[in-house]
Amino acid sequence: MTQMRVAALLMLVLVMVPACGDQTDSSATEPVVGSSTSDGPAGQAAASEDPLKEPEVAALFEELNRRTQVASTASFASSIADYLPSQLISRDGADPQPWAFGVASGSISDAKVTFAARLGAENDRVEEVPLDSAEADWRLITATMSVTRAWVTTDVPPERVTFVVPIGGAFDQREAIEGLISLDDAIVVLTNADDSDPSSWRLARVDSALGFVAASGELRFPALSAGEEREFLGDVTTLERIDDAASRTRPVIYIDRDGTVTRK
């Protein structure tokens, strides 16, 4: 691995280790792959209208919530609208441009563990381990979404997007995968390419900006606290309101060399 990639992975694992808690590892001893079917994940009955009533979905969001408690987000990006292509950012006097890939909604059709690692003895390096290793401090799940709507920087909206979801090494990878592919009406907020898998995107807000469209049409991001969710969504609470926000001209975010943030 390159020095930059090792540094990025070390930062990620230092966040994941305290977030994974003291759970018992009930994952299988071989890599786990999941895909959705017309009857739901792994041939099970279709998910209920409230995904959080599904134990695997609730557990997944609890795991992502633990991650948000020990990490910080970009100070200039406070809402979902800040990740839309209509939000331009200028750093150190550069020409304004979108800084994130954008937002997409659809169903998650596939998910699998693609990377596992542990901290070195001195907590100063990341050591890659087998995907099913009991010594893993964290794992990356790569998920594929079949896109139905997208607000992204590409001229042609993608039919599919892949993104990574980090979980603690003690968290049941089967449960995480089943939780992901249970989300038939998922929504993801995507920032930049992942360091360990450049073909996949990172989720915004410290890899927690994964949510779903509720039966009421309201957007939900359960990995955030109630207050954080309200702040993150603002008045962009439905897919239709994302359409509206994406069509607006927004003040440019300027970030000076010293980190000062202004909007104008």
Side-chain angles (χ1 to χ4, degrees):
M1 291 186 286
T2 65
Q3 186 175 0
M4 181 177 297
R5 180 179 171 189
V6 169
L9 291 175
L10 181 59
M11 181 176 295
L12 179 60
V13 73
L14 287 172
V15 170
M16 287 303 303
V17 170
C20 65
D22 297 323
Q23 302 171 10
T24 301
D25 186 3
S26 57
S27 61
T29 57
E30 70 271 356
V32 181
V33 179
S35 60
S36 63
T37 69
S38 58
D39 295 323
Q44 300 297 317
S48 63
E49 289 190 357
D50 181 2
L52 292 177
K53 291 182 179 178
E54 299 296 321
E56 298 84 0
V57 175
L60 171 65
F61 282 118
E62 288 174 6
E63 172 71 1
L64 296 181
N65 175 264
R66 274 189 288 273
R67 177 172 172 73
T68 68
Q69 305 308 309
V70 294
S72 60
T73 60
S75 60
F76 60 85
S78 59
S79 71
I80 190 172
D82 288 337
Y83 295 89
L84 293 171
S86 56
Q87 179 61 70
L88 304 182
I89 290 181
S90 170
R91 298 177 187 268
D92 296 336
D95 291 338
Q97 59 184 340
W99 78 284
F101 183 57
V103 180
S105 66
S107 60
I108 297 176
S109 55
D110 182 76
K112 58 186 177 182
V113 176
T114 54
F115 188 81
R118 67 181 178 187
L119 280 174
E122 301 299 325
N123 289 354
D124 60 349
R125 66 185 185 278
V126 170
E127 299 175 351
E128 188 170 354
V129 297
L131 300 180
D132 60 343
S133 174
E135 297 182 351
D137 287 317
W138 64 288
R139 294 181 175 85
L140 278 185
I141 295 177
T142 298
T144 301
M145 170 187 280
S146 297
V147 176
T148 55
R149 302 178 73 171
W151 303 264
V152 294
T153 54
T154 56
D155 293 332
V156 178
E159 294 183 0
R160 293 179 179 82
V161 293
T162 59
F163 58 94
V164 294
V165 180
I167 60 171
F171 189 70
D172 186 344
Q173 55 182 301
R174 266 200 170 84
E175 190 169 41
I177 287 171
E178 290 177 2
L180 282 166
I181 62 179
S182 292
L183 295 175
D184 292 328
D185 294 305
I187 182 167
V188 290
V189 184
L190 307 169
T191 56
N192 52 288
D194 179 62
D195 294 295
S196 60
D197 180 8
S199 66
S200 299
W201 297 101
R202 290 284 298 274
L203 294 171
R205 290 192 63 92
V206 200
D207 304 299
S208 67
L210 165 69
F212 60 85
V213 183
S216 64
E218 298 290 305
L219 305 181
R220 293 294 320 280
F221 287 90
L224 307 180
S225 68
E228 290 169 336
E229 186 181 47
R230 284 193 298 271
E231 179 184 6
F232 183 59
L233 289 172
D235 62 355
V236 184
T237 55
T238 65
L239 297 180
E240 290 69 29
R241 290 192 176 185
I242 295 180
D243 273 333
D244 181 54
S247 67
R248 296 181 204 162
T249 299
R250 299 173 55 81
V252 175
I253 297 175
Y254 291 92
I255 305 175
D256 294 339
R257 192 179 300 274
D258 62 1
T260 301
V261 178
T262 57
R263 295 179 186 242
K264 57 186 178 179

